[in-house]
Amino acid sequence: MKILVTGGAGFIGSNVADAYIEAGHEVVIVDNLFTGKSSNVNPKARFYLMDIRSEELRKVFEIEKPDVVNHHAAQMSVPASVEDPLFDADVNVKGFLNMLESARRSGTKKIIFISSGGAVYGNAAEYPTGEDYPPEPASPYAITKYVSEKYLSFYRSLYGIDYTVLRYANIYGPRQAPHGEAGVVAIFTDRLLNGSMCTLYCYKEEPRGMTRDYCYVGDAARANLLALSNGSGGVYNIGTGVPTHTSDLFRAIYEAVRDTCGISQGLEHPKTREARPGDLRRSCLRIGKAKELGWEPGVVLGEGLRRTIERRMRDLRLQGA
Ligand SMILES: NC(=O)c1ccc[n+]([C@@H]2O[C@H](COP(=O)([O-])OP(=O)(O)OC[C@H]3O[C@@H](n4cnc5c(N)ncnc54)[C@H](O)[C@@H]3O)[C@@H](O)[C@H]2O)c1
């Protein structure tokens, strides 16, 4: 199968592209390297350095005629979406529609769209939250993800383009960037390895920090493989169903770093700061429906953190840091 992966130079998209190539598929990547890295691009993929908002995108689709589009490209920071909702909508809605129109014109059969279970449900009353819970998006980023899901359903009914939506929990693992506001596993790991203090964002009533559902990137990549042939017209949560407080996550990373390579003194108590606008108090996904895809998570948090930290240390050693 020929699959065009947008955002295939990014953290999750590159892991997905690798999994597709390993399974014998032909992969084309479109990415403008806004947050992605060319070193993440699988050398067996054909790479177009391009913005998904570009008019040139249609030409790429005319040339490549992909069977499936896997759409990972996005402005993916909640705080950035609050700060600049116009930019967020430009990439996440207009860029998404530009991809969808290009796909429709070139005869693409299916779109696998990456939404956010950690965002679209908002501060849901049902917890863990299932796919049938009515979304209450609480940030511009969450709104754009939910709107995109609605466009897919429209394109399916009007043009017959199939789709599967994967609503990710908090994905972590190798290649996650430790910069910016997202990716707390990568941020804590890098700060502890560098001997710097970490910061926990908390609501006053919940000093242990917010809760999140942390899912290993290899498990997310496997869901994208299964979605090639399953989950027609469906929406699926991809997570673990296990809530973790940020302070417990910090502790687990702290102990893993301390036990593998030692740690500077005085870093065991992170600073705390008031939660930021758009930060959800808690988020955890009900994941039973993903069995329809043939999917369930395979890597528990402790093991996923161990793999992530070991890989990060190896990368830092290779960079001579
Ligand atoms: N990381 C998570 O926990 C998480 C959770 C829920 C959903 N998601 C979604 O998963 C997807 C991938 O996220 P990630 O964590 O790998 O982030 P990432 O920033 O590493 O990946 C995004 C990729 O998209 C590319 N990109 C951004 N704007 C683009 C544009 N205008 N044109 C072309 N390429 C562009 C970036 O360069 C990058 O390679 C996003 O859609 C994000 O919203 C991520």
Side-chain angles (χ1 to χ4, degrees):
M1 214 180 266
K2 191 191 260 196
I3 308 158
L4 189 149
V5 181
T6 68
F11 157 49
I12 310 171
S14 66
N15 279 284
V16 170
D18 289 357
Y20 283 156
I21 287 167
E22 205 161 297
H25 297 293
E26 189 178 348
V27 169
V28 177
I29 289 174
V30 172
D31 197 304
N32 68 350
L33 302 183
F34 182 62
T35 49
K37 289 193 210 158
S38 52
S39 58
N40 286 342
V41 174
N42 190 306
K44 292 188 179 148
R46 211 160 20 263
F47 177 46
Y48 291 87
L49 176 58
M50 187 175 287
D51 196 301
I52 51 167
R53 295 167 291 176
S54 161
E55 284 178 11
E56 301 290 299
L57 191 70
R58 289 198 186 164
K59 284 195 194 135
V60 172
F61 274 75
E62 274 164 29
I63 294 165
E64 298 291 351
K65 297 202 182 332
D67 301 302
V68 174
V69 175
N70 181 295
H71 190 68
H72 271 79
Q75 184 305 111
M76 52 78 71
S77 157
V78 169
S81 80
V82 175
E83 208 139 282
D84 192 350
L86 282 176
F87 176 72
D88 181 69
D90 202 36
V91 176
N92 291 3
V93 181
K94 276 180 80 180
F96 168 78
L97 273 177
N98 194 34
M99 174 283 291
L100 208 48
E101 272 296 290
S102 307
R104 174 178 78 77
R105 287 159 193 255
S106 71
T108 298
K109 297 177 196 69
K110 179 167 186 173
I111 314 286
I112 298 171
F113 173 67
I114 305 310
S115 183
S116 173
V120 291
Y121 300 117
N123 286 300
E126 179 185 289
Y127 183 75
T129 314
E131 292 86 344
D132 47 4
Y133 187 85
E136 295 165 14
S139 65
Y141 166 78
I143 293 168
T144 64
K145 288 290 184 186
Y146 191 46
V147 161
S148 303
E149 293 185 12
K150 295 289 155 204
Y151 274 115
L152 285 170
S153 142
F154 171 74
Y155 271 67
R156 187 175 191 248
S157 60
L158 198 65
Y159 304 116
I161 303 178
D162 196 8
Y163 71 86
T164 297
V165 171
L166 303 178
R167 288 181 179 163
Y168 287 165
N170 281 58
I171 310 298
Y172 71 96
R175 294 190 194 145
Q176 188 161 31
H179 314 295
E181 306 86 351
V184 67
V185 170
I187 293 169
F188 285 169
T189 305
D190 261 43
R191 291 193 74 80
L192 290 171
L193 287 170
N194 292 332
S196 315
M197 190 74 106
C198 294
T199 304
L200 284 191
Y201 290 95
C202 305
Y203 284 97
K204 280 198 189 77
E205 324 74 80
E206 191 38 272
R208 288 172 73 200
M210 298 165 252
T211 58
R212 295 289 183 266
D213 180 341
Y214 294 98
C215 179
Y216 187 66
V217 69
D219 284 335
R222 196 160 38 78
N224 283 274
L225 257 179
L226 291 161
L228 289 175
S229 42
N230 303 327
S232 175
V235 175
Y236 298 91
N237 285 343
I238 299 300
T240 65
V242 179
T244 303
H245 279 280
T246 325
S247 54
D248 294 337
L249 179 80
F250 169 80
R251 197 73 221 161
I253 296 174
Y254 176 85
E255 285 172 7
V257 172
R258 183 196 61 198
D259 296 347
T260 8
C261 62
I263 209 162
S264 317
Q265 280 197 334
L267 299 180
E268 62 271 46
H269 299 298
K271 287 184 282 189
T272 54
R273 277 221 198 127
E274 182 86 25
R276 301 154 300 183
D279 274 340
L280 298 181
R281 285 165 194 274
R282 58 180 197 173
S283 163
C284 184
L285 303 182
R286 196 144 47 76
I287 54 167
K289 190 179 172 201
K291 287 203 174 109
E292 287 175 15
L293 296 173
W295 185 88
E296 56 186 357
V299 179
V300 295
L301 185 60
E303 170 60 15
L305 290 178
R306 191 189 59 73
R307 289 188 199 176
T308 307
I309 292 165
E310 276 180 16
R311 177 73 177 269
R312 186 64 188 148
M313 284 168 55
R314 206 189 65 198
D315 291 349
L316 287 172
R317 267 200 305 274
L318 284 175
Q319 288 165 21

Short mmCIF file of all heavy atoms in Angstrom, two decimals, residues 166-213:
data_model
loop_
_atom_site.label_atom_id
_atom_site.label_comp_id
_atom_site.label_asym_id
_atom_site.label_seq_id
_atom_site.Cartn_x
_atom_site.Cartn_y
_atom_site.Cartn_z
N LEU A 166 -8.06 8.31 15.34
CA LEU A 166 -7.41 7.81 16.55
C LEU A 166 -7.27 8.98 17.52
O LEU A 166 -6.61 9.98 17.20
CB LEU A 166 -6.03 7.22 16.23
CG LEU A 166 -6.01 6.09 15.19
CD1 LEU A 166 -4.57 5.63 14.92
CD2 LEU A 166 -6.86 4.90 15.63
N ARG A 167 -7.95 8.88 18.65
CA ARG A 167 -7.85 9.93 19.67
C ARG A 167 -6.80 9.51 20.69
O ARG A 167 -7.06 8.67 21.56
CB ARG A 167 -9.19 10.14 20.38
CG ARG A 167 -10.24 10.82 19.51
CD ARG A 167 -11.53 11.00 20.30
NE ARG A 167 -12.55 11.67 19.52
CZ ARG A 167 -13.85 11.66 19.82
NH1 ARG A 167 -14.29 11.02 20.90
NH2 ARG A 167 -14.71 12.29 19.06
N TYR A 168 -5.61 10.10 20.54
CA TYR A 168 -4.49 9.71 21.41
C TYR A 168 -4.66 10.26 22.83
O TYR A 168 -5.11 11.38 23.03
CB TYR A 168 -3.18 10.30 20.89
CG TYR A 168 -2.58 9.70 19.66
CD1 TYR A 168 -1.57 10.39 18.98
CD2 TYR A 168 -2.96 8.46 19.15
CE1 TYR A 168 -0.97 9.87 17.84
CE2 TYR A 168 -2.36 7.94 18.01
CZ TYR A 168 -1.37 8.64 17.36
OH TYR A 168 -0.77 8.13 16.25
N ALA A 169 -4.17 9.47 23.78
CA ALA A 169 -3.90 9.96 25.13
C ALA A 169 -2.58 10.73 25.08
O ALA A 169 -2.18 11.21 24.02
CB ALA A 169 -3.81 8.78 26.09
N ASN A 170 -1.84 10.83 26.19
CA ASN A 170 -0.52 11.47 26.17
C ASN A 170 0.50 10.44 25.71
O ASN A 170 0.76 9.48 26.43
CB ASN A 170 -0.15 11.97 27.57
CG ASN A 170 -0.84 13.26 27.89
OD1 ASN A 170 -2.07 13.33 27.86
ND2 ASN A 170 -0.07 14.30 28.15
N ILE A 171 1.03 10.66 24.53
CA ILE A 171 1.98 9.70 23.97
C ILE A 171 3.40 10.12 24.38
O ILE A 171 3.73 11.31 24.35
CB ILE A 171 1.87 9.67 22.42
CG1 ILE A 171 0.41 9.50 21.98
CG2 ILE A 171 2.76 8.58 21.85
CD1 ILE A 171 -0.27 8.23 22.39
N TYR A 172 4.22 9.13 24.76
CA TYR A 172 5.60 9.44 25.13
C TYR A 172 6.49 8.36 24.54
O TYR A 172 6.02 7.28 24.16
CB TYR A 172 5.75 9.48 26.67
CG TYR A 172 5.65 8.10 27.29
CD1 TYR A 172 6.80 7.34 27.57
CD2 TYR A 172 4.41 7.51 27.52
CE1 TYR A 172 6.70 6.07 28.09
CE2 TYR A 172 4.30 6.23 28.03
CZ TYR A 172 5.45 5.51 28.31
OH TYR A 172 5.35 4.23 28.80
N GLY A 173 7.79 8.65 24.48
CA GLY A 173 8.74 7.64 23.99
C GLY A 173 9.89 8.28 23.24
O GLY A 173 10.00 9.51 23.19
N PRO A 174 10.75 7.44 22.64
CA PRO A 174 11.91 7.95 21.92
C PRO A 174 11.53 8.95 20.83
O PRO A 174 10.53 8.78 20.16
CB PRO A 174 12.53 6.69 21.30
CG PRO A 174 12.11 5.59 22.22
CD PRO A 174 10.74 5.98 22.71
N ARG A 175 12.36 9.99 20.67
CA ARG A 175 12.24 11.08 19.69
C ARG A 175 11.32 12.20 20.13
O ARG A 175 11.17 13.17 19.41
CB ARG A 175 11.77 10.59 18.31
CG ARG A 175 12.75 9.69 17.63
CD ARG A 175 12.33 9.45 16.19
NE ARG A 175 13.05 8.34 15.61
CZ ARG A 175 12.55 7.49 14.74
NH1 ARG A 175 11.32 7.65 14.28
NH2 ARG A 175 13.27 6.50 14.28
N GLN A 176 10.67 12.07 21.29
CA GLN A 176 9.82 13.18 21.72
C GLN A 176 10.73 14.36 22.08
O GLN A 176 11.73 14.20 22.77
CB GLN A 176 8.99 12.78 22.95
CG GLN A 176 7.94 13.83 23.31
CD GLN A 176 6.84 13.27 24.20
OE1 GLN A 176 7.10 12.36 24.98
NE2 GLN A 176 5.65 13.80 24.07
N ALA A 177 10.37 15.55 21.59
CA ALA A 177 11.23 16.72 21.80
C ALA A 177 11.06 17.24 23.22
O ALA A 177 9.94 17.37 23.71
CB ALA A 177 10.87 17.80 20.80
N PRO A 178 12.17 17.56 23.89
CA PRO A 178 12.08 18.06 25.27
C PRO A 178 11.85 19.57 25.32
O PRO A 178 11.99 20.17 26.37
CB PRO A 178 13.44 17.71 25.84
CG PRO A 178 14.36 17.74 24.68
CD PRO A 178 13.56 17.37 23.46
N HIS A 179 11.53 20.20 24.17
CA HIS A 179 11.35 21.65 24.15
C HIS A 179 9.87 21.97 24.13
O HIS A 179 9.06 21.13 23.84
CB HIS A 179 12.03 22.25 22.91
CG HIS A 179 13.39 21.71 22.71
ND1 HIS A 179 14.40 21.93 23.61
CD2 HIS A 179 13.90 20.89 21.77
CE1 HIS A 179 15.48 21.30 23.19
NE2 HIS A 179 15.21 20.66 22.09
N GLY A 180 9.53 23.21 24.43
CA GLY A 180 8.14 23.63 24.36
C GLY A 180 7.38 23.15 25.58
O GLY A 180 7.95 22.77 26.59
N GLU A 181 6.05 23.17 25.46
CA GLU A 181 5.22 22.95 26.63
C GLU A 181 4.70 21.52 26.70
O GLU A 181 4.24 21.07 27.74
CB GLU A 181 4.00 23.88 26.61
CG GLU A 181 4.32 25.34 26.48
CD GLU A 181 4.48 25.75 25.04
OE1 GLU A 181 4.51 24.86 24.16
OE2 GLU A 181 4.58 26.95 24.77
N ALA A 182 4.69 20.80 25.58
CA ALA A 182 4.14 19.45 25.59
C ALA A 182 5.26 18.44 25.81
O ALA A 182 6.43 18.79 25.79
CB ALA A 182 3.43 19.18 24.27
N GLY A 183 4.90 17.19 26.05
CA GLY A 183 5.94 16.17 26.15
C GLY A 183 6.61 16.15 27.51
O GLY A 183 7.84 16.20 27.62
N VAL A 184 5.80 16.03 28.56
CA VAL A 184 6.35 16.16 29.91
C VAL A 184 7.38 15.06 30.23
O VAL A 184 8.35 15.32 30.95
CB VAL A 184 5.19 16.20 30.95
CG1 VAL A 184 4.45 14.88 31.02
CG2 VAL A 184 5.67 16.61 32.32
N VAL A 185 7.23 13.87 29.65
CA VAL A 185 8.20 12.80 29.92
C VAL A 185 9.57 13.22 29.40
O VAL A 185 10.59 13.11 30.09
CB VAL A 185 7.75 11.46 29.28
CG1 VAL A 185 8.86 10.42 29.35
CG2 VAL A 185 6.49 10.94 29.97
N ALA A 186 9.60 13.75 28.16
CA ALA A 186 10.87 14.18 27.57
C ALA A 186 11.45 15.37 28.34
O ALA A 186 12.66 15.46 28.56
CB ALA A 186 10.66 14.55 26.11
N ILE A 187 10.56 16.28 28.77
CA ILE A 187 11.04 17.48 29.49
C ILE A 187 11.65 17.08 30.83
O ILE A 187 12.79 17.46 31.15
CB ILE A 187 9.88 18.48 29.69
CG1 ILE A 187 9.43 19.04 28.34
CG2 ILE A 187 10.31 19.63 30.62
CD1 ILE A 187 8.13 19.84 28.39
N PHE A 188 10.94 16.26 31.62
CA PHE A 188 11.48 15.83 32.93
C PHE A 188 12.79 15.06 32.73
O PHE A 188 13.77 15.29 33.44
CB PHE A 188 10.48 14.93 33.66
CG PHE A 188 9.30 15.65 34.28
CD1 PHE A 188 8.22 14.93 34.78
CD2 PHE A 188 9.28 17.04 34.40
CE1 PHE A 188 7.13 15.58 35.36
CE2 PHE A 188 8.19 17.70 34.98
CZ PHE A 188 7.12 16.96 35.46
N THR A 189 12.80 14.14 31.76
CA THR A 189 13.99 13.32 31.55
C THR A 189 15.19 14.19 31.24
O THR A 189 16.26 14.06 31.85
CB THR A 189 13.76 12.32 30.38
OG1 THR A 189 12.59 11.57 30.66
CG2 THR A 189 14.95 11.39 30.19
N ASP A 190 15.03 15.12 30.29
CA ASP A 190 16.17 15.94 29.90
C ASP A 190 16.64 16.86 31.01
O ASP A 190 17.84 17.04 31.22
CB ASP A 190 15.83 16.75 28.64
CG ASP A 190 16.38 16.06 27.41
OD1 ASP A 190 16.25 14.82 27.35
OD2 ASP A 190 16.97 16.74 26.55
N ARG A 191 15.68 17.42 31.74
CA ARG A 191 16.08 18.33 32.81
C ARG A 191 16.86 17.57 33.89
O ARG A 191 17.88 18.04 34.38
CB ARG A 191 14.86 19.04 33.42
CG ARG A 191 14.23 20.04 32.45
CD ARG A 191 13.24 20.95 33.12
NE ARG A 191 13.87 21.96 33.96
CZ ARG A 191 14.42 23.09 33.51
NH1 ARG A 191 14.41 23.35 32.23
NH2 ARG A 191 14.98 23.94 34.34
N LEU A 192 16.38 16.37 34.24
CA LEU A 192 17.08 15.60 35.28
C LEU A 192 18.46 15.16 34.79
O LEU A 192 19.44 15.22 35.53
CB LEU A 192 16.23 14.41 35.71
CG LEU A 192 14.97 14.78 36.50
CD1 LEU A 192 14.07 13.56 36.71
CD2 LEU A 192 15.32 15.41 37.85
N LEU A 193 18.54 14.76 33.51
CA LEU A 193 19.85 14.35 32.99
C LEU A 193 20.82 15.53 32.95
O LEU A 193 22.02 15.38 33.10
CB LEU A 193 19.69 13.75 31.58
CG LEU A 193 19.07 12.34 31.51
CD1 LEU A 193 18.75 11.95 30.07
CD2 LEU A 193 19.99 11.29 32.13
N ASN A 194 20.27 16.76 32.73
CA ASN A 194 21.11 17.96 32.69
C ASN A 194 21.36 18.56 34.07
O ASN A 194 21.99 19.61 34.18
CB ASN A 194 20.42 19.08 31.87
CG ASN A 194 20.35 18.72 30.42
OD1 ASN A 194 21.20 17.98 29.95
ND2 ASN A 194 19.34 19.22 29.72
N GLY A 195 20.77 17.96 35.11
CA GLY A 195 20.95 18.49 36.46
C GLY A 195 20.12 19.74 36.72
O GLY A 195 20.50 20.59 37.54
N SER A 196 18.99 19.90 36.01
CA SER A 196 18.14 21.10 36.22
C SER A 196 16.86 20.71 36.95
O SER A 196 16.38 19.59 36.84
CB SER A 196 17.73 21.74 34.90
OG SER A 196 18.82 21.83 34.04
N MET A 197 16.29 21.71 37.63
CA MET A 197 15.06 21.53 38.40
C MET A 197 13.85 21.38 37.47
O MET A 197 13.78 22.06 36.45
CB MET A 197 14.91 22.78 39.28
CG MET A 197 13.85 22.69 40.30
SD MET A 197 14.38 21.62 41.61
CE MET A 197 14.72 22.79 42.89
N CYS A 198 12.90 20.49 37.84
CA CYS A 198 11.68 20.34 37.05
C CYS A 198 10.56 21.20 37.65
O CYS A 198 10.62 21.59 38.81
CB CYS A 198 11.23 18.89 37.03
SG CYS A 198 12.39 17.82 36.17
N THR A 199 9.52 21.45 36.84
CA THR A 199 8.36 22.24 37.29
C THR A 199 7.09 21.43 37.10
O THR A 199 6.87 20.86 36.02
CB THR A 199 8.24 23.54 36.45
OG1 THR A 199 9.46 24.26 36.55
CG2 THR A 199 7.09 24.40 36.94
N LEU A 200 6.28 21.38 38.16
CA LEU A 200 4.96 20.73 38.07
C LEU A 200 3.89 21.80 37.99
O LEU A 200 3.87 22.71 38.81
CB LEU A 200 4.65 19.94 39.35
CG LEU A 200 5.29 18.61 39.64
CD1 LEU A 200 4.57 17.98 40.83
CD2 LEU A 200 5.19 17.70 38.45
N TYR A 201 3.00 21.70 37.00
CA TYR A 201 1.86 22.62 36.92
C TYR A 201 0.69 22.01 37.68
O TYR A 201 0.30 20.87 37.41
CB TYR A 201 1.49 22.88 35.46
CG TYR A 201 2.53 23.70 34.76
CD1 TYR A 201 3.54 23.09 34.00
CD2 TYR A 201 2.55 25.08 34.88
CE1 TYR A 201 4.53 23.84 33.38
CE2 TYR A 201 3.52 25.85 34.25
CZ TYR A 201 4.51 25.22 33.50
OH TYR A 201 5.48 25.97 32.90
N CYS A 202 0.15 22.75 38.65
CA CYS A 202 -0.89 22.20 39.53
C CYS A 202 -2.05 23.16 39.68
O CYS A 202 -1.86 24.38 39.67
CB CYS A 202 -0.36 21.97 40.94
SG CYS A 202 1.09 20.97 41.04
N TYR A 203 -3.24 22.60 39.89
CA TYR A 203 -4.36 23.40 40.40
C TYR A 203 -4.25 23.37 41.92
O TYR A 203 -3.80 22.37 42.49
CB TYR A 203 -5.69 22.81 39.93
CG TYR A 203 -5.97 23.11 38.48
CD1 TYR A 203 -5.68 22.18 37.47
CD2 TYR A 203 -6.49 24.34 38.11
CE1 TYR A 203 -5.91 22.48 36.14
CE2 TYR A 203 -6.73 24.65 36.78
CZ TYR A 203 -6.45 23.71 35.79
OH TYR A 203 -6.67 24.02 34.49
N LYS A 204 -4.69 24.47 42.57
CA LYS A 204 -4.50 24.61 44.02
C LYS A 204 -5.07 23.42 44.80
O LYS A 204 -4.47 22.91 45.72
CB LYS A 204 -5.18 25.89 44.52
CG LYS A 204 -4.36 27.13 44.27
CD LYS A 204 -4.82 28.30 45.14
CE LYS A 204 -4.14 29.58 44.71
NZ LYS A 204 -4.70 30.17 43.47
N GLU A 205 -6.25 22.95 44.35
CA GLU A 205 -6.91 21.86 45.10
C GLU A 205 -6.21 20.53 44.87
O GLU A 205 -6.57 19.54 45.51
CB GLU A 205 -8.37 21.67 44.65
CG GLU A 205 -9.17 22.88 44.27
CD GLU A 205 -8.77 23.45 42.91
OE1 GLU A 205 -9.21 22.92 41.88
OE2 GLU A 205 -8.00 24.42 42.91
N GLU A 206 -5.29 20.45 43.92
CA GLU A 206 -4.70 19.15 43.59
C GLU A 206 -3.17 19.28 43.54
O GLU A 206 -2.58 19.34 42.45
CB GLU A 206 -5.28 18.67 42.24
CG GLU A 206 -4.98 17.25 41.86
CD GLU A 206 -5.00 16.26 43.01
OE1 GLU A 206 -3.94 16.09 43.65
OE2 GLU A 206 -6.04 15.64 43.25
N PRO A 207 -2.52 19.33 44.72
CA PRO A 207 -1.07 19.56 44.73
C PRO A 207 -0.25 18.42 44.11
O PRO A 207 0.92 18.62 43.81
CB PRO A 207 -0.75 19.73 46.22
CG PRO A 207 -1.92 19.17 46.96
CD PRO A 207 -3.11 19.26 46.06
N ARG A 208 -0.88 17.24 43.91
CA ARG A 208 -0.12 16.16 43.27
C ARG A 208 -0.02 16.36 41.76
O ARG A 208 0.59 15.56 41.06
CB ARG A 208 -0.79 14.80 43.53
CG ARG A 208 -0.63 14.35 44.99
CD ARG A 208 -1.45 13.12 45.25
NE ARG A 208 -0.89 11.94 44.63
CZ ARG A 208 -1.58 10.82 44.37
NH1 ARG A 208 -2.87 10.76 44.68
NH2 ARG A 208 -1.01 9.78 43.82
N GLY A 209 -0.61 17.43 41.28
CA GLY A 209 -0.56 17.70 39.83
C GLY A 209 -1.76 17.09 39.13
O GLY A 209 -2.58 16.41 39.76
N MET A 210 -1.84 17.37 37.84
CA MET A 210 -2.98 16.86 37.06
C MET A 210 -2.80 15.37 36.80
O MET A 210 -1.70 14.85 36.96
CB MET A 210 -3.04 17.63 35.75
CG MET A 210 -3.27 19.10 35.99
SD MET A 210 -2.91 20.09 34.55
CE MET A 210 -1.42 20.89 34.99
N THR A 211 -3.88 14.68 36.37
CA THR A 211 -3.68 13.28 35.97
C THR A 211 -3.76 13.19 34.45
O THR A 211 -4.53 13.92 33.81
CB THR A 211 -4.74 12.33 36.56
OG1 THR A 211 -6.03 12.77 36.17
CG2 THR A 211 -4.64 12.24 38.06
N ARG A 212 -2.95 12.29 33.92
CA ARG A 212 -2.93 12.04 32.48
C ARG A 212 -2.80 10.53 32.24
O ARG A 212 -2.37 9.79 33.13
CB ARG A 212 -1.74 12.75 31.82
CG ARG A 212 -1.79 14.27 31.87
CD ARG A 212 -2.86 14.82 30.95
NE ARG A 212 -2.88 16.28 30.94
CZ ARG A 212 -3.66 17.03 31.71
NH1 ARG A 212 -4.47 16.46 32.59
NH2 ARG A 212 -3.64 18.34 31.61
N ASP A 213 -3.13 10.14 31.03
CA ASP A 213 -3.05 8.73 30.61
C ASP A 213 -1.84 8.64 29.67
O ASP A 213 -1.86 9.19 28.57
CB ASP A 213 -4.38 8.41 29.89
CG ASP A 213 -4.46 6.99 29.38
OD1 ASP A 213 -3.42 6.34 29.24
OD2 ASP A 213 -5.59 6.55 29.11
#
